[in-house]
Amino acid sequence: AQKVTQAQTEISVVEKEDVTLDCVYETRDTTYYLFWYKQPPSGELVFLIRRNSFDEQNEISGRYSWNFQKSTSSFNFTITASQVVDSAVYFCALSAQGGYNKLIFGAGTRLAVHP
Amino acid sequence: NAGVTQTPKFQVLKTGQSMTLQCAQDMNHEYMSWYRQDPGMGLRLIHYSVGAGITDQGEVPNGYNVSRSTTEDFPLRLLSAAPSQTSVYFCASSQLDRQGNNYGYTFGSGTRLTVV
């Protein structure tokens, strides 16, 4: 069975703090893809990153960084120097090879960044 | 360059009514899917399609029908609306490679449905 767990339901930080959103996944497939999506208050889903299971190199994009560790089945997302505009719900998702790649979402983490 | 277009954005239905949520994409994507989003549960897959004429059930298909007569369109039908179907519905599309792996999903802006 495939599953994505985002244990943090809500996180509240003050602007400029660093914050890490945790994501733990389960799959028996050896080839799979992991995603992060952002859902701002306006409601749309914004794609942030896609990572395949063979690439464990960490990714950095501006203030965003992702730490992928197959040994712990985790794909954590860190925002450095958070800003009010980062306030949103963040979803981690898993898609496995074959089976037409149904995207399995975690429950999401609501991040509130206060001025 | 519209991407994935969903209509309507908002809808209120009475219990027992039927309706169709529309979804269209202009990217020639093979894969299309419908998700519903409920508080604390993330997004759950309702139905999906890997190409015109081919559809299959996802995690929560009961009460919904789909069809895929063209590559572009993937409507979702509620046969007899129930309050439990109050949710936000997202349509998504993606392109598949030869191994069936997708390059990432493009989501529509969502339809907020309330059943009273």
Side-chain angles (χ1 to χ4, degrees):
Chain A
Q2 298 174 357
K3 185 179 179 181
V4 176
T5 301
Q6 294 180 257
Q8 304 152 309
T9 304
E10 294 189 25
I11 300 175
S12 181
V13 299
V14 176
E15 210 170 16
K16 298 185 182 179
E17 284 186 30
D18 298 347
V19 57
T20 295
L21 283 62
D22 297 332
C23 174
V24 174
Y25 63 92
E26 297 176 26
T27 180
R28 294 182 179 179
D29 292 282
T30 56
T31 302
Y32 51 89
Y33 298 88
L34 295 163
F35 302 79
W36 276 95
Y37 283 87
K38 174 182 180 180
Q39 187 176 45
S42 54
E44 74 272 24
L45 286 158
V46 179
F47 169 82
L48 296 178
I49 190 171
R50 170 184 181 264
R51 178 58 54 132
N52 76 55
S53 53
F54 296 109
D55 183 3
E56 287 192 74
Q57 188 172 3
N58 290 335
E59 177 104 5
I60 298 175
S61 177
R63 297 183 296 106
Y64 294 172
S65 63
W66 290 268
N67 185 313
F68 176 31
Q69 291 194 342
K70 290 179 72 172
S71 60
T72 56
S73 297
S74 64
F75 187 44
N76 296 337
F77 173 32
T78 297
I79 302 174
T80 302
S82 59
Q83 300 176 1
V84 172
V85 294
D86 296 326
S87 296
V89 180
Y90 291 87
F91 291 100
C92 180
L94 165 70
S95 176
Q97 181 184 26
Y100 306 114
N101 293 296
K102 292 171 279 188
L103 202 58
I104 307 298
F105 283 84
T109 297
R110 181 176 300 276
L111 174 64
V113 182
H114 302 284
Chain B
N1 194 16
V4 178
T5 303
Q6 285 184 239
T7 56
K9 292 190 181 302
F10 301 95
Q11 184 71 49
V12 179
L13 287 179
K14 292 183 179 179
T15 298
Q17 285 185 319
S18 63
M19 79 159 295
T20 300
L21 306 184
Q22 302 291 345
C23 177
Q25 53 95 5
D26 61 359
M27 298 170 285
N28 202 32
H29 283 173
E30 298 160 342
Y31 186 94
M32 295 186 75
S33 56
W34 277 100
Y35 287 84
R36 60 178 287 173
Q37 182 180 12
D38 301 295
M41 303 187 73
L43 281 80
R44 293 180 294 169
L45 182 64
I46 304 171
H47 286 285
Y48 65 97
S49 169
V50 299
I54 306 171
T55 64
D56 206 347
Q57 297 180 353
E59 181 184 359
V60 287
N62 293 340
Y64 307 95
N65 271 0
V66 292
S67 60
R68 185 96 179 268
S69 56
T70 66
T71 299
E72 294 78 19
D73 299 301
F74 191 44
L76 178 72
R77 297 183 193 81
L78 280 69
L79 307 175
S80 177
S84 60
Q85 293 179 304
T86 294
S87 187
V88 179
Y89 292 85
F90 287 95
C91 179
S93 73
S94 68
Q95 188 64 287
L96 303 178
D97 63 20
R98 292 186 178 185
Q99 286 74 41
N101 303 307
N102 76 68
Y103 294 117
Y105 289 71
T106 300
F107 282 87
S109 57
T111 296
R112 186 174 293 276
L113 175 67
T114 301
V115 182
V116 298

